[in-house]
Short mmCIF file of all heavy atoms in Angstrom, two decimals:
data_model
loop_
_atom_site.label_atom_id
_atom_site.label_comp_id
_atom_site.label_asym_id
_atom_site.label_seq_id
_atom_site.Cartn_x
_atom_site.Cartn_y
_atom_site.Cartn_z
N MET A 9 7.96 -45.99 6.68
CA MET A 9 7.21 -45.14 5.88
C MET A 9 7.69 -43.71 6.14
O MET A 9 8.16 -43.42 7.22
CB MET A 9 5.80 -45.15 6.20
CG MET A 9 5.11 -46.53 5.99
SD MET A 9 5.17 -47.25 4.36
CE MET A 9 4.18 -46.06 3.40
N TYR A 10 7.55 -42.93 5.02
CA TYR A 10 7.86 -41.55 5.12
C TYR A 10 6.90 -40.79 5.88
O TYR A 10 5.61 -41.05 5.84
CB TYR A 10 8.01 -40.90 3.76
CG TYR A 10 9.24 -41.50 2.97
CD1 TYR A 10 9.12 -42.51 2.04
CD2 TYR A 10 10.55 -41.20 3.37
CE1 TYR A 10 10.16 -42.92 1.31
CE2 TYR A 10 11.54 -41.67 2.70
CZ TYR A 10 11.46 -42.66 1.67
OH TYR A 10 12.52 -43.17 0.99
N LEU A 11 7.23 -39.78 6.53
CA LEU A 11 6.40 -38.91 7.37
C LEU A 11 5.47 -38.13 6.38
O LEU A 11 4.27 -37.98 6.69
CB LEU A 11 7.16 -37.93 8.27
CG LEU A 11 6.30 -37.09 9.26
CD1 LEU A 11 5.66 -37.99 10.20
CD2 LEU A 11 7.29 -36.21 10.07
N LEU A 12 6.00 -37.48 5.44
CA LEU A 12 5.23 -36.85 4.35
C LEU A 12 5.38 -37.32 3.06
O LEU A 12 6.50 -37.64 2.68
CB LEU A 12 5.64 -35.26 4.33
CG LEU A 12 5.41 -34.45 5.57
CD1 LEU A 12 6.04 -33.04 5.45
CD2 LEU A 12 3.96 -34.29 5.88
N ASP A 13 4.44 -37.45 2.27
CA ASP A 13 4.66 -37.87 0.85
C ASP A 13 4.94 -36.70 0.02
O ASP A 13 4.94 -35.48 0.42
CB ASP A 13 3.43 -38.71 0.38
CG ASP A 13 2.19 -37.93 0.22
OD1 ASP A 13 2.14 -36.77 0.72
OD2 ASP A 13 1.14 -38.38 -0.25
N LEU A 14 5.11 -36.91 -1.26
CA LEU A 14 5.56 -35.88 -2.25
C LEU A 14 4.53 -34.77 -2.30
O LEU A 14 5.06 -33.58 -2.38
CB LEU A 14 5.86 -36.50 -3.57
CG LEU A 14 6.51 -35.57 -4.48
CD1 LEU A 14 7.79 -35.11 -4.03
CD2 LEU A 14 6.76 -36.31 -5.88
N LEU A 15 3.31 -35.08 -2.37
CA LEU A 15 2.20 -34.02 -2.54
C LEU A 15 2.17 -33.22 -1.35
O LEU A 15 2.08 -31.96 -1.43
CB LEU A 15 0.93 -34.78 -2.87
CG LEU A 15 -0.33 -33.71 -3.00
CD1 LEU A 15 -0.09 -32.83 -4.21
CD2 LEU A 15 -1.54 -34.52 -3.06
N GLU A 16 2.19 -33.73 -0.27
CA GLU A 16 2.17 -32.95 0.99
C GLU A 16 3.28 -32.14 1.21
O GLU A 16 3.36 -30.90 1.63
CB GLU A 16 2.08 -33.93 2.23
CG GLU A 16 0.59 -34.50 2.31
CD GLU A 16 0.61 -35.47 3.58
OE1 GLU A 16 1.31 -35.15 4.54
OE2 GLU A 16 -0.08 -36.50 3.41
N SER A 17 4.50 -32.51 0.79
CA SER A 17 5.70 -31.75 0.87
C SER A 17 5.70 -30.57 -0.04
O SER A 17 6.16 -29.46 0.20
CB SER A 17 6.96 -32.57 0.61
OG SER A 17 6.99 -33.03 -0.66
N ASN A 18 5.09 -30.74 -1.31
CA ASN A 18 5.03 -29.72 -2.26
C ASN A 18 4.05 -28.68 -1.80
O ASN A 18 4.32 -27.43 -1.98
CB ASN A 18 4.54 -30.21 -3.69
CG ASN A 18 5.62 -30.94 -4.43
OD1 ASN A 18 6.84 -30.71 -4.08
ND2 ASN A 18 5.31 -31.83 -5.21
N ILE A 19 2.94 -29.14 -1.25
CA ILE A 19 1.97 -28.15 -0.63
C ILE A 19 2.53 -27.39 0.50
O ILE A 19 2.47 -26.09 0.64
CB ILE A 19 0.69 -28.90 -0.23
CG1 ILE A 19 -0.12 -29.34 -1.38
CG2 ILE A 19 -0.20 -27.99 0.67
CD1 ILE A 19 -1.20 -30.33 -1.07
N THR A 20 3.30 -28.06 1.33
CA THR A 20 4.02 -27.31 2.45
C THR A 20 4.94 -26.33 1.94
O THR A 20 4.99 -25.13 2.46
CB THR A 20 4.72 -28.38 3.36
OG1 THR A 20 3.81 -29.30 3.70
CG2 THR A 20 5.28 -27.77 4.57
N VAL A 21 5.74 -26.69 0.99
CA VAL A 21 6.79 -25.71 0.47
C VAL A 21 6.01 -24.51 -0.18
O VAL A 21 6.34 -23.40 -0.03
CB VAL A 21 7.62 -26.34 -0.71
CG1 VAL A 21 8.39 -25.33 -1.41
CG2 VAL A 21 8.51 -27.35 -0.07
N PHE A 22 4.96 -24.75 -0.87
CA PHE A 22 4.15 -23.68 -1.53
C PHE A 22 3.56 -22.69 -0.45
O PHE A 22 3.65 -21.42 -0.62
CB PHE A 22 2.89 -24.28 -2.37
CG PHE A 22 2.06 -23.25 -3.01
CD1 PHE A 22 2.51 -22.39 -4.07
CD2 PHE A 22 0.86 -23.02 -2.41
CE1 PHE A 22 1.68 -21.43 -4.54
CE2 PHE A 22 -0.06 -22.03 -2.89
CZ PHE A 22 0.30 -21.26 -4.04
N ILE A 23 3.00 -23.29 0.56
CA ILE A 23 2.40 -22.44 1.70
C ILE A 23 3.61 -21.68 2.31
O ILE A 23 3.41 -20.42 2.59
CB ILE A 23 1.63 -23.30 2.70
CG1 ILE A 23 0.35 -23.78 1.93
CG2 ILE A 23 1.25 -22.45 3.89
CD1 ILE A 23 -0.37 -24.86 2.75
N THR A 24 4.69 -22.28 2.63
CA THR A 24 5.75 -21.57 3.19
C THR A 24 6.28 -20.39 2.29
O THR A 24 6.57 -19.28 2.68
CB THR A 24 7.10 -22.47 3.38
OG1 THR A 24 6.41 -23.66 4.30
CG2 THR A 24 8.07 -21.89 4.12
N LEU A 25 6.45 -20.58 1.02
CA LEU A 25 6.76 -19.63 0.08
C LEU A 25 5.80 -18.42 0.00
O LEU A 25 6.16 -17.29 -0.11
CB LEU A 25 6.98 -20.15 -1.22
CG LEU A 25 8.43 -21.06 -1.37
CD1 LEU A 25 8.41 -21.53 -2.84
CD2 LEU A 25 9.57 -20.20 -1.14
N LEU A 26 4.60 -18.83 0.06
CA LEU A 26 3.39 -17.82 0.08
C LEU A 26 3.57 -16.93 1.34
O LEU A 26 3.47 -15.73 1.17
CB LEU A 26 2.16 -18.61 0.00
CG LEU A 26 0.88 -17.72 -0.04
CD1 LEU A 26 0.87 -17.06 -1.51
CD2 LEU A 26 -0.34 -18.38 0.21
N ILE A 27 3.82 -17.55 2.45
CA ILE A 27 3.93 -16.72 3.65
C ILE A 27 5.22 -15.89 3.67
O ILE A 27 5.26 -14.71 3.99
CB ILE A 27 3.90 -17.66 4.94
CG1 ILE A 27 2.53 -18.33 4.96
CG2 ILE A 27 4.25 -16.90 6.18
CD1 ILE A 27 2.39 -19.34 6.11
N LEU A 28 6.31 -16.45 3.28
CA LEU A 28 7.58 -15.70 3.19
C LEU A 28 7.71 -14.65 2.28
O LEU A 28 8.33 -13.55 2.49
CB LEU A 28 8.69 -16.71 2.98
CG LEU A 28 9.03 -17.62 4.18
CD1 LEU A 28 10.10 -18.63 3.78
CD2 LEU A 28 9.44 -16.92 5.35
N PHE A 29 7.11 -14.76 1.05
CA PHE A 29 7.27 -13.78 -0.03
C PHE A 29 6.06 -13.09 -0.39
O PHE A 29 6.04 -11.75 -0.56
CB PHE A 29 7.91 -14.45 -1.29
CG PHE A 29 9.30 -14.96 -1.08
CD1 PHE A 29 9.48 -16.38 -0.92
CD2 PHE A 29 10.32 -14.22 -0.98
CE1 PHE A 29 10.80 -16.88 -0.76
CE2 PHE A 29 11.61 -14.67 -0.68
CZ PHE A 29 11.84 -15.97 -0.73
N ALA A 30 5.00 -13.71 -0.62
CA ALA A 30 3.71 -13.03 -1.17
C ALA A 30 3.16 -12.07 -0.17
O ALA A 30 2.69 -10.98 -0.50
CB ALA A 30 2.72 -14.13 -1.70
N LEU A 31 2.84 -12.55 1.08
CA LEU A 31 2.38 -11.73 2.10
C LEU A 31 3.08 -10.40 2.32
O LEU A 31 2.46 -9.42 2.37
CB LEU A 31 2.03 -12.50 3.42
CG LEU A 31 0.90 -13.56 3.10
CD1 LEU A 31 0.72 -14.28 4.49
CD2 LEU A 31 -0.50 -12.95 2.71
N PRO A 32 4.33 -10.45 2.56
CA PRO A 32 5.08 -9.19 2.73
C PRO A 32 4.95 -8.23 1.56
O PRO A 32 4.96 -7.00 1.65
CB PRO A 32 6.42 -9.56 3.01
CG PRO A 32 6.34 -10.98 3.50
CD PRO A 32 5.10 -11.63 2.87
N ILE A 33 4.95 -8.82 0.34
CA ILE A 33 4.91 -8.02 -0.90
C ILE A 33 3.47 -7.26 -0.86
O ILE A 33 3.34 -6.14 -1.20
CB ILE A 33 5.04 -8.87 -2.22
CG1 ILE A 33 6.63 -9.20 -2.27
CG2 ILE A 33 4.76 -8.08 -3.37
CD1 ILE A 33 6.92 -10.26 -3.34
N ILE A 34 2.53 -7.94 -0.75
CA ILE A 34 1.11 -7.49 -0.61
C ILE A 34 0.93 -6.32 0.39
O ILE A 34 0.46 -5.36 0.23
CB ILE A 34 0.07 -8.64 -0.50
CG1 ILE A 34 -0.03 -9.59 -1.59
CG2 ILE A 34 -1.39 -7.96 -0.24
CD1 ILE A 34 -0.84 -10.82 -1.50
N ILE A 35 1.47 -6.80 1.55
CA ILE A 35 1.45 -5.69 2.69
C ILE A 35 2.22 -4.46 2.35
O ILE A 35 1.69 -3.35 2.53
CB ILE A 35 1.83 -6.29 3.96
CG1 ILE A 35 0.98 -7.50 4.51
CG2 ILE A 35 2.19 -5.23 5.07
CD1 ILE A 35 1.44 -8.28 5.62
N GLY A 36 3.31 -4.59 1.72
CA GLY A 36 4.15 -3.47 1.30
C GLY A 36 3.43 -2.69 0.26
O GLY A 36 3.48 -1.45 0.25
N LEU A 37 2.93 -3.20 -0.72
CA LEU A 37 2.22 -2.51 -1.73
C LEU A 37 1.04 -1.82 -1.14
O LEU A 37 0.81 -0.68 -1.45
CB LEU A 37 1.71 -3.42 -2.81
CG LEU A 37 2.64 -4.08 -3.79
CD1 LEU A 37 2.04 -5.12 -4.62
CD2 LEU A 37 3.32 -2.98 -4.56
N TYR A 38 0.32 -2.43 -0.19
CA TYR A 38 -0.75 -1.66 0.37
C TYR A 38 -0.43 -0.46 1.18
O TYR A 38 -0.81 0.68 1.15
CB TYR A 38 -1.53 -2.64 1.29
CG TYR A 38 -2.66 -1.85 2.05
CD1 TYR A 38 -3.83 -1.57 1.34
CD2 TYR A 38 -2.60 -1.54 3.36
CE1 TYR A 38 -4.87 -0.95 2.08
CE2 TYR A 38 -3.51 -0.89 4.01
CZ TYR A 38 -4.69 -0.60 3.47
OH TYR A 38 -5.67 0.10 4.08
N VAL A 39 0.76 -0.69 1.93
CA VAL A 39 1.18 0.45 2.91
C VAL A 39 1.83 1.58 2.02
O VAL A 39 1.49 2.74 2.33
CB VAL A 39 2.36 -0.10 3.74
CG1 VAL A 39 2.99 1.08 4.59
CG2 VAL A 39 1.60 -1.05 4.77
N PHE A 40 2.56 1.25 0.97
CA PHE A 40 3.28 2.34 0.21
C PHE A 40 2.54 2.96 -0.95
O PHE A 40 2.88 3.90 -1.45
CB PHE A 40 4.57 1.88 -0.25
CG PHE A 40 5.56 1.65 0.86
CD1 PHE A 40 6.07 0.34 1.20
CD2 PHE A 40 6.06 2.54 1.62
CE1 PHE A 40 6.79 0.09 2.19
CE2 PHE A 40 6.89 2.54 2.59
CZ PHE A 40 7.24 1.15 3.01
N THR A 41 1.32 2.33 -1.42
CA THR A 41 0.53 2.93 -2.39
C THR A 41 -0.66 3.76 -1.79
O THR A 41 -1.32 4.42 -2.51
CB THR A 41 -0.05 1.99 -3.39
OG1 THR A 41 -0.77 0.86 -2.63
CG2 THR A 41 1.20 1.30 -4.16
N LYS A 42 -1.05 3.54 -0.46
CA LYS A 42 -2.22 4.15 0.16
C LYS A 42 -1.71 5.67 0.33
O LYS A 42 -0.79 5.83 1.09
CB LYS A 42 -2.64 3.56 1.28
CG LYS A 42 -3.79 4.08 1.92
CD LYS A 42 -4.34 3.31 3.18
CE LYS A 42 -5.59 4.00 3.77
NZ LYS A 42 -5.94 3.28 5.01
N ARG A 43 -2.42 6.62 -0.15
CA ARG A 43 -2.10 8.03 -0.07
C ARG A 43 -3.17 8.77 0.68
O ARG A 43 -4.38 8.54 0.47
CB ARG A 43 -1.85 8.66 -1.40
CG ARG A 43 -0.67 8.02 -2.09
CD ARG A 43 0.58 8.38 -1.58
NE ARG A 43 1.61 7.89 -2.33
CZ ARG A 43 2.56 7.01 -1.79
NH1 ARG A 43 2.61 6.66 -0.57
NH2 ARG A 43 3.59 6.55 -2.62
N THR A 44 -2.79 9.54 1.62
CA THR A 44 -3.73 10.44 2.40
C THR A 44 -3.30 11.84 2.43
O THR A 44 -2.03 12.13 2.13
CB THR A 44 -3.91 9.99 3.82
OG1 THR A 44 -2.66 10.01 4.36
CG2 THR A 44 -4.58 8.57 3.86
N GLY A 45 -4.06 12.81 2.66
CA GLY A 45 -3.65 14.13 2.63
C GLY A 45 -3.49 14.77 1.31
O GLY A 45 -4.15 14.46 0.28
N PRO A 46 -2.57 15.72 1.12
CA PRO A 46 -2.29 16.30 0.02
C PRO A 46 -1.86 15.38 -1.10
O PRO A 46 -2.09 15.77 -2.37
CB PRO A 46 -1.21 17.39 0.21
CG PRO A 46 -1.15 17.57 1.74
CD PRO A 46 -1.77 16.27 2.25
N GLU A 47 -1.15 14.40 -0.79
CA GLU A 47 -0.82 13.50 -1.94
C GLU A 47 -1.85 12.72 -2.55
O GLU A 47 -1.74 12.33 -3.72
CB GLU A 47 0.30 12.41 -1.39
CG GLU A 47 1.52 13.06 -0.72
CD GLU A 47 1.38 13.31 0.76
OE1 GLU A 47 0.28 13.02 1.25
OE2 GLU A 47 2.29 14.00 1.30
N ALA A 48 -2.94 12.59 -1.86
CA ALA A 48 -4.06 11.86 -2.49
C ALA A 48 -4.69 12.54 -3.59
O ALA A 48 -4.98 11.91 -4.81
CB ALA A 48 -5.14 11.57 -1.46
N ASP A 49 -4.98 13.90 -3.48
CA ASP A 49 -5.54 14.63 -4.66
C ASP A 49 -4.91 16.01 -4.63
O ASP A 49 -5.51 16.96 -3.94
CB ASP A 49 -6.96 14.64 -4.55
CG ASP A 49 -7.67 15.28 -5.81
OD1 ASP A 49 -6.98 15.56 -6.75
OD2 ASP A 49 -9.01 15.35 -5.85
N PHE A 50 -3.81 16.24 -5.23
CA PHE A 50 -3.03 17.44 -5.14
C PHE A 50 -3.81 18.62 -5.71
O PHE A 50 -3.72 19.75 -5.22
CB PHE A 50 -1.71 17.22 -5.84
CG PHE A 50 -0.76 18.37 -5.52
CD1 PHE A 50 -0.17 18.56 -4.23
CD2 PHE A 50 -0.51 19.21 -6.55
CE1 PHE A 50 0.63 19.64 -4.04
CE2 PHE A 50 0.46 20.41 -6.23
CZ PHE A 50 0.94 20.48 -5.00
N GLU A 51 -4.60 18.33 -6.84
CA GLU A 51 -5.32 19.44 -7.47
C GLU A 51 -6.39 19.98 -6.50
O GLU A 51 -6.50 21.15 -6.43
CB GLU A 51 -5.97 18.95 -8.82
CG GLU A 51 -4.90 18.60 -9.81
CD GLU A 51 -5.52 18.07 -11.03
OE1 GLU A 51 -6.66 17.90 -11.05
OE2 GLU A 51 -4.63 17.84 -12.00
N ALA A 52 -7.18 19.11 -5.79
CA ALA A 52 -8.12 19.54 -4.94
C ALA A 52 -7.43 20.24 -3.69
O ALA A 52 -8.04 21.28 -3.23
CB ALA A 52 -8.96 18.36 -4.41
N TYR A 53 -6.34 19.75 -3.32
CA TYR A 53 -5.66 20.45 -2.13
C TYR A 53 -5.26 21.87 -2.57
O TYR A 53 -5.36 22.77 -1.88
CB TYR A 53 -4.34 19.62 -1.89
CG TYR A 53 -3.44 20.17 -0.82
CD1 TYR A 53 -3.87 20.18 0.61
CD2 TYR A 53 -2.22 20.73 -1.12
CE1 TYR A 53 -3.01 20.79 1.45
CE2 TYR A 53 -1.41 21.39 -0.11
CZ TYR A 53 -1.84 21.39 1.14
OH TYR A 53 -0.98 21.85 2.12
N GLU A 54 -4.64 22.11 -3.83
CA GLU A 54 -4.30 23.31 -4.34
C GLU A 54 -5.48 24.28 -4.38
O GLU A 54 -5.46 25.41 -3.94
CB GLU A 54 -3.67 23.32 -5.68
CG GLU A 54 -2.17 22.79 -5.66
CD GLU A 54 -1.59 22.81 -7.03
OE1 GLU A 54 -2.22 22.71 -8.09
OE2 GLU A 54 -0.34 23.17 -7.08
N GLU A 55 -6.66 23.78 -4.88
CA GLU A 55 -7.89 24.53 -4.96
C GLU A 55 -8.35 25.04 -3.52
O GLU A 55 -8.67 26.09 -3.30
CB GLU A 55 -8.99 23.75 -5.64
CG GLU A 55 -8.79 23.57 -7.16
CD GLU A 55 -9.81 22.62 -7.78
OE1 GLU A 55 -10.75 22.29 -7.02
OE2 GLU A 55 -9.66 22.38 -8.88
N ASN A 56 -8.27 24.14 -2.55
CA ASN A 56 -8.61 24.46 -1.25
C ASN A 56 -7.77 25.50 -0.65
O ASN A 56 -8.21 26.43 0.06
CB ASN A 56 -8.60 23.19 -0.27
CG ASN A 56 -9.84 22.25 -0.56
OD1 ASN A 56 -10.89 22.76 -1.12
ND2 ASN A 56 -9.62 21.10 -0.27
N ILE A 57 -6.48 25.38 -0.91
CA ILE A 57 -5.47 26.38 -0.40
C ILE A 57 -5.79 27.78 -1.04
O ILE A 57 -5.76 28.75 -0.38
CB ILE A 57 -4.00 25.87 -0.78
CG1 ILE A 57 -3.59 24.75 0.15
CG2 ILE A 57 -3.05 27.11 -0.50
CD1 ILE A 57 -3.50 25.06 1.53
N GLU A 58 -5.96 27.81 -2.36
CA GLU A 58 -6.31 29.09 -2.95
C GLU A 58 -7.64 29.60 -2.42
O GLU A 58 -7.72 30.84 -2.23
CB GLU A 58 -6.51 28.84 -4.52
CG GLU A 58 -5.19 28.54 -5.20
CD GLU A 58 -5.32 28.18 -6.66
OE1 GLU A 58 -6.49 28.30 -7.16
OE2 GLU A 58 -4.35 27.79 -7.34
N LYS A 59 -8.63 28.82 -2.30
CA LYS A 59 -9.88 29.30 -1.73
C LYS A 59 -9.76 29.86 -0.20
O LYS A 59 -10.21 30.89 0.03
CB LYS A 59 -10.92 28.14 -1.74
CG LYS A 59 -12.31 28.71 -1.21
CD LYS A 59 -13.39 27.53 -1.43
CE LYS A 59 -13.10 26.33 -0.67
NZ LYS A 59 -14.17 25.43 -0.62
N ASP A 60 -8.99 29.10 0.54
CA ASP A 60 -8.73 29.53 1.94
C ASP A 60 -7.87 30.84 1.99
O ASP A 60 -8.20 31.75 2.79
CB ASP A 60 -7.94 28.54 2.66
CG ASP A 60 -8.74 27.21 2.96
OD1 ASP A 60 -9.99 27.41 2.78
OD2 ASP A 60 -8.22 26.24 3.30
N THR A 61 -6.94 31.05 1.08
CA THR A 61 -6.13 32.17 1.05
C THR A 61 -6.93 33.37 0.57
O THR A 61 -6.75 34.52 1.06
CB THR A 61 -4.86 32.10 0.24
OG1 THR A 61 -5.19 31.62 -1.14
CG2 THR A 61 -3.99 31.08 0.85
N LYS A 62 -7.87 33.25 -0.38
CA LYS A 62 -8.76 34.17 -0.83
C LYS A 62 -9.64 34.73 0.29
O LYS A 62 -9.76 36.00 0.50
CB LYS A 62 -9.50 33.76 -2.07
CG LYS A 62 -8.67 33.76 -3.30
CD LYS A 62 -9.52 33.36 -4.52
CE LYS A 62 -8.63 33.15 -5.72
NZ LYS A 62 -9.39 32.58 -6.81
N GLU A 63 -10.14 33.79 1.09
CA GLU A 63 -11.08 34.12 2.09
C GLU A 63 -10.48 34.88 3.28
O GLU A 63 -10.92 35.87 3.72
CB GLU A 63 -11.77 32.93 2.73
CG GLU A 63 -12.72 32.27 1.70
CD GLU A 63 -13.18 30.92 2.28
OE1 GLU A 63 -12.84 30.56 3.39
OE2 GLU A 63 -14.08 30.25 1.59
N GLU A 64 -9.12 34.59 3.46
CA GLU A 64 -8.41 35.15 4.70
C GLU A 64 -7.58 36.35 4.16
O GLU A 64 -7.02 37.16 5.04
CB GLU A 64 -7.48 34.15 5.27
CG GLU A 64 -8.17 32.94 5.95
CD GLU A 64 -7.30 31.91 6.38
OE1 GLU A 64 -6.00 32.10 6.32
OE2 GLU A 64 -7.77 30.94 6.96
N GLY A 65 -7.50 36.62 2.90
CA GLY A 65 -6.79 37.75 2.32
C GLY A 65 -5.32 37.61 2.38
O GLY A 65 -4.54 38.51 2.40
N ILE A 66 -4.83 36.28 2.40
CA ILE A 66 -3.36 36.01 2.40
C ILE A 66 -2.98 35.62 0.97
O ILE A 66 -3.77 34.90 0.19
CB ILE A 66 -3.08 34.82 3.28
CG1 ILE A 66 -3.55 35.07 4.72
CG2 ILE A 66 -1.67 34.36 3.22
CD1 ILE A 66 -3.61 33.90 5.62
N LYS A 67 -1.84 36.11 0.57
CA LYS A 67 -1.29 35.92 -0.82
C LYS A 67 -0.58 34.53 -0.74
O LYS A 67 0.25 34.28 0.16
CB LYS A 67 -0.35 36.95 -1.17
CG LYS A 67 -1.08 38.20 -1.51
CD LYS A 67 -0.04 39.24 -2.02
CE LYS A 67 -0.58 40.63 -2.26
NZ LYS A 67 0.23 41.63 -2.65
N PRO A 68 -0.94 33.60 -1.66
CA PRO A 68 -0.10 32.39 -1.68
C PRO A 68 1.21 32.54 -2.27
O PRO A 68 1.53 33.46 -3.00
CB PRO A 68 -1.01 31.46 -2.72
CG PRO A 68 -1.85 32.51 -3.59
CD PRO A 68 -2.01 33.71 -2.68
N LYS A 69 2.19 31.63 -1.88
CA LYS A 69 3.47 31.72 -2.29
C LYS A 69 3.73 31.44 -3.68
O LYS A 69 3.05 30.54 -4.27
CB LYS A 69 4.32 30.82 -1.35
CG LYS A 69 4.44 31.28 -0.04
CD LYS A 69 5.30 30.44 0.89
CE LYS A 69 5.22 30.97 2.31
NZ LYS A 69 6.14 30.06 3.18
#
């Protein structure tokens, strides 16, 4: 008798492909689309810079 039948081998191939391709893609999308700091909200960052420079009397570039 065979060790694995056709259904089990298809499931094994599917899980292997999922691990090899889908998980790294999902992790990569999460890592490279998550933004923090000025990149997250550039308009709010500019407003804060303008407000800080006005309070300190520094001219923005």
